[in-house]
Amino acid sequence: MPITVREIMQLKEFQNFTLIAGREGERNEIMNIGILDYEYANEDPYLEKLWAFGKGAFVISSLLFAKDHPERILSAVRGLCRDGVSALAIKTIYYETLPEEALAYADEHALPIYMFGRDDAYFQDIAILIRAKMEERDDTELLEQKIGLMVNGQMSLANIRNLSQEILPMGGYRSYFTVYCKAKSYSESIYYVRAFNTLRDRVGKRDAVFRFQNGYLVILDMEDRIRRGNLAALAMRILSVRQEDYHIGIGKLHETMDEFHLSMQEALYASQYAKLFGQNPVCFQQMGIYQILLPYCRSPWLEQYCRSILEPIREFDRQYDGELFRTAEIYVRKNGDVEEVAKELHLHRNTIRYRMSRVRELVGDEKDSRFDEQLSVAFRTYELQKL
């Protein structure tokens, strides 16, 4: 995704830029950079079209073309809006502000206009900085795509080895684990970028931090670290992130880079578990049966198994306007505690026992001692498939 005007303006190099119009356009994406000279200050429609800026341009100007001719400013603003320019930054050499009609037009068409002083920045420096940030964003997105292929099992072991050598300090680790901090509420504001930079500065030189799916993947090198307590305590001590802002998942300790993709997958699944059950942070190895259910909940075999258990219950409810499915779902959630199920449904416990006996008949052998186990796997998988 291209960088936005708001993200650029939050950089420290632009702290002296003042927004005077077009606040609604701060989410505009920047595709290129240009300098406004006389492009819209002529009466030749052909030349104006020929010299027009490309869509998504961040345009810089001193308004030299409008010196002693303020009436030209509205015409220029109209042209910029017509051509889909993302923002206009004006150096206050000839004008400290713009005519009211030009500001109103920019507001109406969501064209952000900024003013900056003579000594605040040079045109060339602005262009170089924005271009560098655009390239950095492109590199970040490319890396995120590569990581996505790896964690989704679409990358060979040879390519996993190559990627780990490319992106990790010293080409990899002898002992490491991965943490994934998934933002609870994504914002394109600069907070997301600043939090990433803060996190990257906080970890050790041999650790690695990557942006991934509105969150941060952190690979922590454990070769020379003293291990006090469990991995969760260690990770929180190192990262010092606000737990209320993230769903935090922590993978197992690994001793070979051939398991780099597994380490990332574990952290991602643990983060999903943290979100599902409202726990934070969560270690993959403490997830019980969900260590299997989360990775395979959408596999054809598990989906087929769930249908074989759940569909007969659904069909019974459709035919008889029953409540067996809901009762069985709560029964699993309450770990088979009939008293608790009865309490939640405001029914007598014998009613719950009767309903569960009907579910047992529908599912299969009434004497099968594995009934609770089978029902639990089916409903917990169904719960995950709804995510």
Side-chain angles (χ1 to χ4, degrees):
M1 185 178 74
I3 198 163
T4 66
V5 174
R6 177 181 294 171
E7 288 172 311
I8 285 294
M9 282 300 145
Q10 291 287 348
L11 298 173
K12 66 178 185 300
E13 291 86 353
F14 295 93
Q15 62 184 354
N16 293 326
F17 283 54
T18 301
L19 180 69
I20 63 170
R23 184 175 298 277
E24 293 298 319
E26 286 190 297
R27 294 185 180 183
N28 293 344
E29 296 175 346
I30 300 173
M31 308 301 294
N32 51 73
I33 307 110
I35 296 176
L36 174 62
D37 196 357
Y38 283 87
E39 287 80 359
Y40 299 104
N42 65 83
E43 297 180 359
D44 188 331
Y46 172 77
L47 289 178
E48 186 171 313
K49 186 176 180 180
L50 183 65
W51 294 340
F53 293 95
K55 187 175 181 180
F58 186 100
V59 175
I60 316 161
S61 180
S62 68
L63 299 186
L64 173 62
F65 67 88
K67 181 184 178 183
D68 303 323
H69 294 281
E71 71 279 359
R72 293 178 178 176
I73 295 177
L74 176 58
S75 176
V77 170
R78 284 174 173 164
L80 293 169
C81 292
R82 181 195 63 223
D83 294 332
V85 163
S86 289
L88 171 64
I90 301 169
K91 196 166 193 173
T92 55
I93 297 176
Y94 305 106
Y95 292 92
E96 295 290 334
T97 187
L98 302 188
E100 286 298 325
E101 60 269 23
L103 297 176
Y105 195 89
D107 281 331
E108 182 182 352
H109 293 82
L111 172 67
I113 299 179
Y114 298 88
M115 307 296 289
F116 63 99
R118 291 169 177 261
D119 301 322
D120 290 336
Y122 295 103
F123 286 6
Q124 184 178 3
D125 293 339
I126 295 173
I128 290 173
L129 178 61
I130 294 177
R131 190 168 286 111
K133 291 299 177 183
M134 291 168 63
E135 291 172 357
E136 181 181 309
R137 172 62 59 86
D138 290 342
D139 291 342
T140 299
E141 291 185 352
L142 177 60
L143 178 57
E144 186 170 338
Q145 290 173 11
K146 289 181 179 180
I147 291 175
L149 291 173
M150 182 172 63
V151 299
N152 290 326
Q154 298 173 300
M155 188 175 282
S156 68
L157 182 56
N159 286 335
I160 290 172
R161 290 171 178 167
N162 291 336
L163 182 59
S164 65
Q165 291 175 359
E166 174 189 336
I167 67 177
L168 296 177
M170 307 298 292
Y173 310 119
R174 293 181 183 176
S175 179
Y176 64 98
F177 69 97
T178 299
V179 182
Y180 182 56
C181 303
K182 173 79 169 183
K184 289 183 178 178
S185 59
Y186 172 69
S187 170
E188 69 171 2
S189 72
I190 200 63
Y191 172 77
Y192 183 62
V193 179
R194 284 178 176 167
F196 172 73
N197 292 333
T198 300
L199 194 57
R200 190 165 51 183
D201 293 339
R202 188 177 291 144
V203 301
K205 292 182 179 179
R206 282 186 51 80
D207 303 319
V209 183
F210 309 105
R211 289 167 63 172
F212 187 71
Q213 295 180 351
N214 301 340
Y216 315 112
L217 274 167
V218 186
I219 296 87
L220 295 174
D221 174 31
M222 290 299 296
E223 186 173 353
D224 298 320
R225 277 196 170 104
I226 298 174
R227 303 174 194 176
R228 296 186 186 135
N230 57 31
L231 292 183
L234 177 63
M236 293 301 95
R237 195 161 57 243
I238 295 171
L239 303 183
S240 272
V241 296
R242 286 160 44 101
Q243 294 187 29
E244 60 267 30
D245 291 342
Y246 303 97
H247 301 293
I248 302 171
I250 300 168
K252 297 188 293 186
L253 195 66
H254 290 266
E255 309 289 341
T256 169
M257 291 313 301
D258 285 354
E259 297 174 354
F260 186 39
H261 60 304
L262 297 178
S263 176
M264 289 189 169
Q265 289 171 337
E266 289 164 359
L268 290 165
Y269 287 131
S271 175
Q272 291 178 26
Y273 184 98
K275 179 180 179 180
L276 181 63
F277 293 101
Q279 300 177 20
N280 223 17
V282 169
C283 290
F284 182 79
Q285 59 196 22
Q286 297 173 340
M287 288 165 43
I289 195 173
Y290 285 91
Q291 294 178 63
I292 298 298
L293 294 184
L294 268 166
Y296 295 106
C297 68
R298 288 183 173 80
S299 74
W301 293 103
L302 201 46
E303 286 188 343
Q304 178 178 296
Y305 173 78
C306 288
R307 282 197 300 271
S308 72
I309 299 292
L310 303 183
E311 193 53 38
I313 306 173
R314 283 199 186 96
E315 183 58 32
F316 179 92
D317 283 349
R318 283 194 288 265
Q319 286 187 22
Y320 300 102
D321 195 24
E323 289 285 332
L324 294 190
F325 192 91
R326 181 164 178 254
T327 303
E329 190 173 17
I330 297 173
Y331 178 85
V332 168
R333 180 152 44 84
K334 298 295 183 179
N335 296 313
D337 190 325
V338 172
E339 295 283 351
E340 288 297 315
V341 178
K343 194 179 298 184
E344 180 161 331
L345 291 176
H346 306 290
L347 297 171
H348 194 276
R349 58 183 176 275
N350 288 340
T351 304
I352 303 303
R353 290 193 181 98
Y354 171 76
R355 287 184 179 181
M356 292 311 300
S357 69
R358 295 292 293 150
V359 171
R360 187 183 284 270
E361 292 173 10
L362 292 167
V363 168
D365 190 348
E366 296 180 49
K367 298 180 180 179
D368 192 340
S369 61
R370 297 169 298 175
F371 168 73
D372 279 12
E373 175 184 316
Q374 294 171 347
L375 199 67
S376 175
V377 169
F379 270 100
R380 294 185 193 282
T381 302
Y382 166 74
E383 184 180 41
L384 296 177
Q385 290 172 343
K386 292 190 296 183
L387 293 178

